[in-house]
Amino acid sequence: MAYEEAIAQLSKLLSEKPDLKGMAAAKIKQITAELEKAAGSKQLDPVERIQTGFVHFKTEKFERHVDLYGKLATGQTPKFMVFACSDSRVCPSHILNFQPGEAFVVRNVASMVPSFNKTHYSSVGAAVEYAVLRLRVENIVVMGHSYCGGIKGLMSIPDDGGRDGDDEFVESWVKICAPAKAKVKSAHSDLSFAEQCDVLEKEAVNVSLGNLLTYPFVREAVANNTLFSSGWILRLR
């Protein structure tokens, strides 16, 4: 049994048996602490981690929902398209409790949506086109989050247009929401850098929502009330 599974089962036992008294409860807490320490000190084996993760999916999800996965094998009809950050802390399916087949997801640095352009950022354009014209999604969600490195990077770009460090690809990408940064710098010059980043997280989502409407097929679907868009911010604390 993996350390994580043992810890989870012991924690579950404590939560389900509040009547456990003194020594028994203390012993379980001691074992849990020891397991957590051992798990933390064990060097990560990436292959083993992938294998155990897949086994968990296979036994706990796939084999328990055979009918669902059988249906999904024949096609998908998601109602949502979600733009989310690539940040490892903000998995949209985990946070929004999406089940397989419910959401068509695009993840990138800072959850940004570039404006319509047939030659630039075509991977995003292809995803939007496929979601709207082929999958016929009914909702597009842009989900930003606090403490976003991409937003901090955008806010850090020198006003003279020079580069800040070696993040050439990142800087080029986050400039998609440069209008949001300009708005924050103009309207909130009295705020600290951290506070400006906090405001920029929201304004960048607004810019992405506006950029979605530069796609003709998105604009048409919205006008026909067959597609709706919304923006959200996840606070990590």
Side-chain angles (χ1 to χ4, degrees):
M1 180 184 295
Y3 288 117
E4 292 82 0
E5 293 178 26
I7 293 169
Q9 290 187 18
L10 286 169
S11 298
K12 183 179 179 183
L13 177 61
L14 279 176
S15 64
E16 292 178 348
K17 300 289 185 180
D19 56 331
L20 283 174
K21 303 296 182 181
M23 188 174 294
K27 186 63 177 177
I28 290 175
K29 289 180 179 179
Q30 178 188 343
I31 295 172
T32 301
E34 291 173 355
L35 285 171
E36 289 174 338
K37 182 178 180 180
S41 62
K42 183 182 179 182
Q43 186 175 3
L44 174 68
D45 181 331
V47 175
E48 180 183 354
R49 174 62 186 85
I50 295 297
Q51 289 175 335
T52 56
F54 175 74
V55 169
H56 178 79
F57 161 75
K58 182 173 182 290
T59 57
E60 298 299 319
K61 297 183 179 181
F62 185 83
E63 292 178 353
R64 293 188 179 189
H65 303 282
V66 174
D67 290 344
L68 169 62
Y69 286 100
K71 181 180 179 181
L72 290 175
T74 65
Q76 59 170 326
T77 55
K79 300 298 183 184
F80 292 88
M81 179 182 195
V82 179
F83 280 91
C85 188
S86 298
D87 193 305
S88 62
R89 300 168 293 179
V90 291
C91 174
S93 293
H94 180 74
I95 292 166
L96 302 177
N97 196 33
F98 282 128
Q99 301 306 305
E102 279 194 281
F104 187 73
V105 179
V106 175
R107 298 185 69 175
N108 59 49
V109 173
S111 321
M112 292 184 179
V113 182
S115 57
F116 179 79
N117 189 312
K118 290 184 177 181
T119 59
H120 205 31
Y121 305 128
S122 58
S123 64
V124 176
V128 176
E129 180 181 76
Y130 189 76
V132 175
L133 297 183
R134 297 292 176 263
L135 297 178
R136 301 291 180 183
V137 298
E138 298 173 1
N139 302 274
I140 299 182
V141 174
V142 179
M143 189 177 81
H145 68 97
S146 60
Y147 307 106
C148 178
I151 292 298
K152 182 179 179 181
L154 173 58
M155 203 70 219
S156 300
I157 296 176
D159 292 334
D160 61 7
R163 287 180 53 209
D164 180 29
D166 299 321
D167 300 327
E168 182 175 356
F169 285 99
V170 174
E171 287 196 11
S172 175
W173 171 259
V174 297
K175 284 179 181 178
I176 289 169
C177 286
K181 176 191 175 185
K183 180 178 179 180
V184 171
K185 295 276 285 187
S186 174
H188 303 284
S189 59
D190 58 320
L191 297 181
S192 67
F193 178 81
E195 291 170 327
Q196 288 180 332
C197 286
D198 186 63
V199 177
L200 183 56
E201 287 158 5
K202 306 182 189 74
E203 293 299 338
V205 168
N206 289 334
V207 167
S208 287
L209 289 172
N211 285 346
L212 276 170
L213 294 176
T214 65
Y215 293 79
F217 41 87
V218 170
R219 194 163 58 246
E220 181 180 359
V222 170
N224 292 333
N225 291 320
T226 58
L227 179 65
F228 302 89
S229 62
S230 61
W232 301 80
I233 293 290
L234 170 68
R235 293 296 172 203
L236 292 176
R237 66 177 182 183

